[in-house]
């Protein structure tokens, strides 16, 4: 059985970040930058008030990781373990075999490589910590920064889906899926 994030050793440190599990009080700490238009351009959930943001944040704490730099949260992310698709008679063996990653970076921390550092740490948590065999991440195709992060951490584009995503602007946008297998990750690290 795949362990949960709460079963891993925390905090996790990278060169410049300290990662830990998300906490209820983090919602208020990230609200000032999370609600900014340049952040909301690409996020999936738009909370109109701090209270709504707090409720949304609290509902996802089981999969949430935050990245701190000098004691301040500069990144939030999720590592969501999922069952791989399988034929019905193989469902038990497919259970918990993959994870989906997502991340959001404080605009004040952009342009310093922190998004890549944070995403790479989430990838490591999924593969080395949770033991999944495959990791995926998705984005709007127009979100060039997110695409570049996925490429930098070694994920490959596996699909471009034409006008499959309805953006809050009212436009239908292309979506992209990136992925990496655990064996590919390990081969690159050795």
């Amino acid at each position: 059985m795949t362990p949960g994030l709460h079963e891993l050793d925390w905090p996790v440190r990278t060169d410049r970040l300290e990662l830990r599990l998300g906490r209820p009080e983090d919602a208020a700490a990230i609200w000032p930058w999370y609600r900014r238009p340049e952040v909301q351009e690409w996020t999936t959930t738009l909370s109109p008030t701090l209270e709504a943001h707090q409720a949304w944040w609290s509902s996802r704490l089981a999969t949430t990781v935050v990245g701190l730099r000098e004691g301040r949260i500069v990144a939030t992310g999720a590592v969501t373990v999922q069952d791989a698709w399988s034929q019905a008679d193989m469902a038990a063996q497919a259970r918990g075999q993959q994870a989906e990653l997502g991340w959001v970076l404080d605009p004040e921390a952009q342009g310093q490589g922190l998004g890549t550092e944070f995403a790479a740490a989430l990838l490591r948590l999924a593969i080395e910590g949770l033991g999944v065999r495959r990791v995926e991440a998705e984005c709007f195709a127009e979100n060039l920064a997110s695409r570049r992060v996925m490429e930098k951490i070694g994920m490959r584009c596996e699909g471009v889906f034409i006008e499959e995503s309805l953006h809050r602007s009212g436009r239908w946008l292309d979506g992209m899926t990136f992925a990496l297998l655990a064996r590919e990750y390990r081969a690159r690290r050795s």
Side-chain angles (χ1 to χ4, degrees):
M1 178 175 228
T2 305
L5 283 176
H6 65 281
E7 297 174 66
L8 303 181
D9 291 328
W10 298 98
V12 171
R13 288 182 170 62
T14 67
D15 288 342
R16 298 174 293 166
L17 298 171
E18 177 182 300
L19 280 68
R20 65 164 169 76
L21 293 175
R23 301 174 183 155
E25 61 270 20
D26 296 336
I30 68 168
W31 175 246
W33 59 264
Y34 201 90
R35 65 184 177 153
R36 288 173 58 175
E38 64 269 35
V39 173
Q40 288 299 308
E41 175 77 15
W42 305 119
T43 59
T44 56
T45 303
L46 174 62
S47 301
T49 65
L50 175 57
E51 294 74 24
H53 175 72
Q54 180 71 56
W56 168 79
W57 180 262
S58 295
S59 73
R60 57 191 302 276
L61 285 176
T63 62
T64 299
V65 176
V66 297
L68 296 93
R69 184 161 190 215
E70 299 172 357
R72 187 175 77 77
I73 299 173
V74 296
T76 68
V79 180
T80 307
V81 174
Q82 304 170 329
D83 298 343
W85 184 89
S86 70
Q87 294 170 309
D89 55 315
M90 299 302 291
Q93 293 90 329
R95 193 164 292 121
Q97 291 296 309
Q98 66 185 38
E100 182 177 2
L101 304 182
W103 54 83
V104 180
L105 191 66
D106 178 349
E108 301 302 320
Q110 291 177 358
Q112 304 169 46
L114 294 172
T116 301
E117 190 171 325
F118 183 70
L122 295 179
L123 180 65
R124 188 172 59 250
L125 285 169
I127 293 173
E128 295 178 10
L130 300 177
V132 300
R133 65 172 296 280
R134 178 181 167 83
V135 178
E136 297 179 346
E138 298 176 344
C139 68
F140 290 110
E142 291 182 21
N143 186 347
L144 299 179
S146 194
R147 286 172 44 186
R148 285 189 37 81
V149 166
M150 291 181 222
E151 291 165 353
K152 286 180 185 178
I153 66 172
M155 299 179 88
R156 84 179 140 273
C157 179
E158 289 194 335
V160 178
F161 306 95
I162 307 304
E163 293 186 14
E164 60 112 29
S165 302
L166 182 57
H167 189 267
R168 66 177 53 100
S169 67
R171 296 182 302 138
W172 285 96
L173 300 181
D174 297 352
M176 296 181 80
T177 297
F178 287 74
L180 184 68
L181 296 173
R183 66 176 162 79
E184 295 170 315
Y185 172 86
R186 289 197 248 331
R188 290 178 184 163
R189 293 187 54 97
S190 61

